Amino acid sequence: MQELPKSYAPQEVEDKWYQVWESNGLFHADSGSPKKPYTVVIPPPNITGILTMGHVLNNTLQDVFVRWRRMQGYEACWVPGTDHAGIATQHVVEKSLQKEGIARRELGREKFVERVWQWRELYGGTIIKQLRKLGTSCDWKRERFTMDEGLSNAVQEVFVRLHEKGLIYRGKYIVNWCPKDHTALSDDEVNYSDSNGHLWYIRYPVEGSAQELVVATTRPETMLGDTAVAVNPGDERYKELVGRRVRLPLANRSIPIIADDFVDAEFGTGAVKVTPAHDPNDFQIGERHKLEKPIIMDTSGKMNEQVPNKYRGLDRYECRKEVLRDLEREQLLVKTVDHVHSVGHCYRCDTVIEPYLSDQWFVKMKPLSEKALAVVQSGEVKFYPERWTKVYEHWMTNIRDWCISRQLWWGHRVPAWYCDSSEHPAPPCREPVVSRTRPVRCAHCGGTKFRQDEDVLDTWFSSWLWPFSVFDWPKESKDLEYFYPTDTLVTAPDIIFFWVARMIMAGLEFRGKVPFHDVYFTSIIRDMQGRKMSKSLGNSPDPLDVIATYGADALRFTVLYLAPIGQDVLYSNEKCEMGRNFANKIWNAGRFLLLNRDALEAESPSAFPVVGSAPSNDLSDKWIVSRFNATVKATTESLEHLQVNEAAKLLYEFMWHDFCDWYVEFAKNRIAETPDPNMKKAIVQRAIRIYEETLKLLHPFMPFVTEEIWQHLAERRPGESIMKAPWPECEAGQLNPVAEKEMELVQEIVSGVRTIRSEMNLPPAKEVDAIVNCHEEGKKSILENNRNLIVRLARVANLTIGTGLAKPGYSASSVIQGQELFVPLKGLIDIDVERTRLEKEISRIEGQLRGVEAKLSNPSFADKAPAEIVEKERDKKQNFEQTILKLRASLSQVQG
RNA sequence: GGACGCUUAGCUCAGUUGGUUUAGAGCGAUGCCCUUACAAGGCAUAGGUCGUAGGUUCGAGCCCUACAGCGUCCACCA
């Protein structure tokens, strides 16, 4: 066998294995399988997206779950795909067209949408390609896109069904309007931020008197759309004005003074101008008081024909200036004060949103939300971490109707048609006809000309169907039956309302079953200063660079190790050194074992023995088998509780510190000590067995390096992969607390000698003698049985183990588990150093002794604490006392 | 204004239902080693009154209360 390189080179193996996996169909799941399914649907990334650290964490977690379950024997299916991302994509394509000097509106709808599809062909798969670099084991044959024919059918079907049930309606509502993107935004798509504005106090003269009413506003231009002034009904100042009218300045209209509870008498002047078409609260007031709702701006935020001539065509901010100038001229502006208030911005383009009255499509949410709330409260759908359930509950109980129409061109077009027969402009024909297909004949007028609704649907209106639409719903397919409901959803907590809640509602409404059982909310990855990663800050590392530098496994392992459920993670590329070093450690352990096996193979012709899962009689074997089984148990349990970082830590600890630091070192010694080549082979073979099993445990975390070495460990059939190796199971019978305890003593003695050597400044190569004076027969025989291990690992020339042994002169000493360790160092010992060392040790243990004594002398401790605990404390006390005695004795005869 | 979270070693963080003597890890620091798997490594050492103040308990990093600092989400802002 050819020798492995000295260090692991991920670049040379990653692409190779990914291709093998994919071309052998190892990612593919089949609904005809007799196995139990395990299903995950990817949160579909936007086609405009590129891979970020957030995706890395999210998708690596999914891959861990999927690879683990696959190894456990499930028919594991991970459905990948992308989201058409309405506004985001339209923006990107619009921008690229701008570079060619083409405007979207000039191009026209049909041509533009064509161009978007072309763009998607070229660039829409970027993030999918990048995901492969990470090693994700997605079932690529099932890749879906939210605008695929099948998924579009699902969207249309859902729209029609909800409309038939009366859950979709068309209404005039105040929506968040982006004057730049020309679209309505859902409440969640608006970002509010504080901004420094002003509060302007404006005089409104009361009709038929010299009185005036002063109102305060942050948006004076909207006064042109005022249809009332409102005061609090309990406000004494204005009591007799209610019911009278004011003259609206500039517009020169007469509007009423009304009383409404919404008004806060404390704020401003206690009198509010009411602009029902341009403020959500004013809209509510307008509804209550049956006010006119004149719209005074066009869709670009420019003043329209509803305002006096001189303002028409002005942008809302230019108009504000004009209005203020005019008010000032007419001496109607009382004062201007600075005022900080929060202003909504478009989440795409950051333009200040305009509350705008318009015709939109809505989904009634209340009927859908009740069941969806119940399944989370009952635990049928579990959130990790659990605290998000509260956030969910709050939102679901205060849910508002969902505005689903968007004034875009890229997306699923609303399946509603309007009769467009010009000869029959009768009112009933204005009502939209919602239908799966274009209507043929108008039921009212018999006309045959129809015009489809111009709007498209919110992107989330396709995403909320994702867990079943990817399995061809509304067709009742075998796949749908087998793979739905899915099992684990891994997503970010900031889309809990956008997506998670709505998927639960859709799953229950259209499938009668929850869409998934566990929801894992990922951490947010931040930079080392705790800032969110963003393009504008330039603090988001490119995962592909990281993979090129450190390797995909290193990146995966590091991110998993750093991210407990639901905590933010401060990340920098350098942290990947940890993962890289670990991959290299795994690599080199394998390299060592293979070098030894090859050497033994060359040395003697006999075959290697077959070893089972049981250990030999050797303590180190019993110990590592016990530790291995404990690790299998703990790792599996951690994964079952979705504690991936805990699992990663357990494996890191076992592989590095138990297996490499101790077991391999023991094995070296045992190989050297054993003359019989067959025994040597058995030792190596046992080590390889444990190593191979550990590789399986590591595979979901670090798929590439584990596959590469696994392939070297034995002759594999073509297409055979560690991916399909069975997940190790804990053999409870191999857990061996006695062996672990015994090994602990051996390890502590070895460390004891090393500590003395180090503190006495002796180079590791310098051999020393050691004497262990035992006070317990059991411990003596353990040490006797393992003297070779101690001799080798502690680099001891002559090891004496016995009872009643005297401390030689000029020796360093320590007490380990009640046994005395002496290291004679005549001519090498620094008496002062040794004395200080012992004194320090004594005072440390004296401190502990005092703690235990304080506990025991407390009468209520003995009374109330369980007997078992009290007994433990007594033992501790005794051990401390004896250790101190022994150390004192050593101290008094440092020089002999 | 409402809800939730965080505060543990120089840095980044574990610590899963309160009870092993000494509160752990990684990075960093210090000392000795290129000991034929790995210097991306080995061995050892130093470093913490667990945010502050109370309380519950025989016993608190963990439970309760208040406070401080940081952060997230929601609502409102004429």
Side-chain angles (χ1 to χ4, degrees), chain A residues 795-813:
Chain A
R795 291 180 175 253
V796 173
N798 298 297
L799 175 65
T800 312
I801 300 163
T803 50
L805 301 173
K807 180 184 178 188
Y810 298 99
S811 56
S813 62

Side-chain angles (χ1 to χ4, degrees), chain A residues 670-791:
Chain A
R670 290 164 63 203
I671 293 165
E673 296 293 327
T674 309
D676 177 359
N678 288 324
M679 300 277 281
K680 286 181 199 267
K681 284 181 176 173
I683 293 164
V684 171
Q685 201 64 4
R686 285 182 189 285
I688 287 176
R689 212 198 74 85
I690 294 288
Y691 178 77
E692 182 170 352
E693 292 302 297
T694 310
L695 285 184
K696 292 179 193 168
L697 295 177
L698 282 162
H699 178 257
F701 302 80
M702 309 177 95
F704 294 112
V705 69
T706 48
E707 179 78 276
E708 175 71 10
I709 307 178
W710 189 82
Q711 296 284 344
H712 281 98
L713 289 180
E715 288 295 323
R716 307 293 182 188
R717 295 186 308 278
E720 194 180 1
S721 164
I722 191 173
M723 266 187 71
K724 297 273 178 166
W727 182 255
E729 284 182 37
C730 171
E731 293 181 61
Q734 304 297 353
L735 294 172
N736 192 336
V738 175
E740 293 203 27
K741 197 80 200 156
E742 290 184 8
M743 183 53 83
E744 208 176 290
L745 178 65
V746 174
Q747 290 174 329
E748 283 184 32
I749 293 286
V750 170
S751 291
V753 177
R754 283 170 176 172
T755 303
I756 287 171
R757 186 200 300 281
S758 171
E759 301 218 323
M760 291 299 150
N761 258 316
L762 299 179
K766 176 85 188 168
E767 290 207 321
V768 293
D769 289 346
I771 295 153
V772 184
N773 184 30
C774 293
H775 296 262
E776 290 163 60
E777 268 310 313
K779 289 188 175 165
K780 185 183 155 204
S781 62
I782 294 165
L783 295 175
E784 278 294 357
N785 291 340
N786 296 285
R787 65 158 41 240
N788 286 346
L789 300 181
I790 298 168
V791 164

Side-chain angles (χ1 to χ4, degrees), chain A residues 19-54:
Chain A
Q19 224 186 340
V20 169
W21 295 332
E22 193 173 356
S23 61
N24 282 281
L26 298 181
F27 299 153
H28 185 61
D30 186 352
S31 57
S33 166
K35 298 175 183 174
K36 273 168 70 180
Y38 175 80
T39 315
V40 172
V41 289
I42 203 170
N46 291 354
I47 46 171
T48 54
I50 55 162
L51 198 68
T52 65
M53 289 306 299

Side-chain angles (χ1 to χ4, degrees), chain A residues 150-267:
Chain A
L151 276 74
S152 299
N153 281 341
V155 164
Q156 192 181 320
E157 181 67 24
V158 160
F159 189 98
V160 173
R161 282 197 201 177
L162 288 177
H163 185 262
E164 284 167 354
K165 271 185 105 170
L167 294 183
I168 279 186
Y169 63 94
R170 191 167 157 79
K172 275 220 184 293
Y173 265 86
I174 291 274
V175 295
N176 305 295
W177 185 264
C178 176
K180 184 153 176 283
D181 293 337
H182 288 91
T183 186
L185 302 168
S186 71
D187 290 341
D188 309 286
E189 288 167 335
V190 177
N191 298 323
Y192 287 88
S193 60
D194 279 346
S195 74
N196 298 315
H198 303 283
L199 202 51
W200 286 279
Y201 288 73
I202 305 168
R203 263 190 262 277
Y204 284 15
V206 177
E207 289 186 340
S209 91
Q211 279 177 290
E212 55 194 21
L213 203 49
V214 178
V215 301
T217 180
T218 55
R219 305 180 56 213
E221 69 280 10
T222 62
M223 70 180 286
L224 301 171
D226 284 3
T227 49
V229 172
V231 299
N232 189 286
D235 195 332
E236 295 299 328
R237 294 173 292 177
Y238 303 120
K239 204 137 212 177
E240 74 278 14
L241 287 180
V242 174
R244 304 191 44 192
R245 302 180 77 84
V246 293
R247 195 84 204 151
L248 181 64
L250 308 185
N252 199 28
R253 282 189 280 116
S254 168
I255 58 175
I257 300 168
I258 58 176
D260 195 284
D261 280 326
F262 165 77
V263 180
D264 176 2
E266 304 294 315
F267 189 92

Side-chain angles (χ1 to χ4, degrees), chain A residues 411-476:
Chain A
H412 304 96
R413 200 141 167 196
V414 172
W417 281 265
Y418 302 88
C419 175
D420 214 10
S421 308
S422 53
E423 320 87 69
H424 301 284
C429 301
R430 298 268 165 78
E431 283 302 307
V433 179
V434 170
S435 161
R436 288 173 184 84
T437 52
R438 169 181 287 270
V440 181
R441 186 172 293 276
C442 175
H444 299 287
C445 70
T448 54
K449 272 173 146 181
F450 282 91
R451 171 174 51 85
Q452 186 168 6
D453 196 298
E454 295 292 322
D455 290 355
V456 300
L457 292 163
D458 181 7
T459 293
W460 299 104
F461 198 84
S462 54
S463 318
W464 76 324
L465 314 176
W466 188 248
F468 50 87
S469 64
V470 296
F471 296 116
D472 306 330
W473 187 91
K475 267 190 256 164
E476 282 298 332

Side-chain angles (χ1 to χ4, degrees), chain A residues 33 38 58 88 99 107 167 242 279 298 337 415 423 597 614 622 626 673 677 686 695 719 751 809 812 857 872 891 895:
Chain A
S33 166
Y38 175 80
N58 185 304
K99 277 181 200 153
L107 201 60
L167 294 183
V242 174
D279 182 280
D298 67 13
V337 297
E423 320 87 69
R597 194 179 66 182
K622 286 192 268 192
S626 176
E673 296 293 327
R686 285 182 189 285
L695 285 184
S751 291
S857 64
K872 264 186 192 168
L891 183 59
Q895 296 180 49

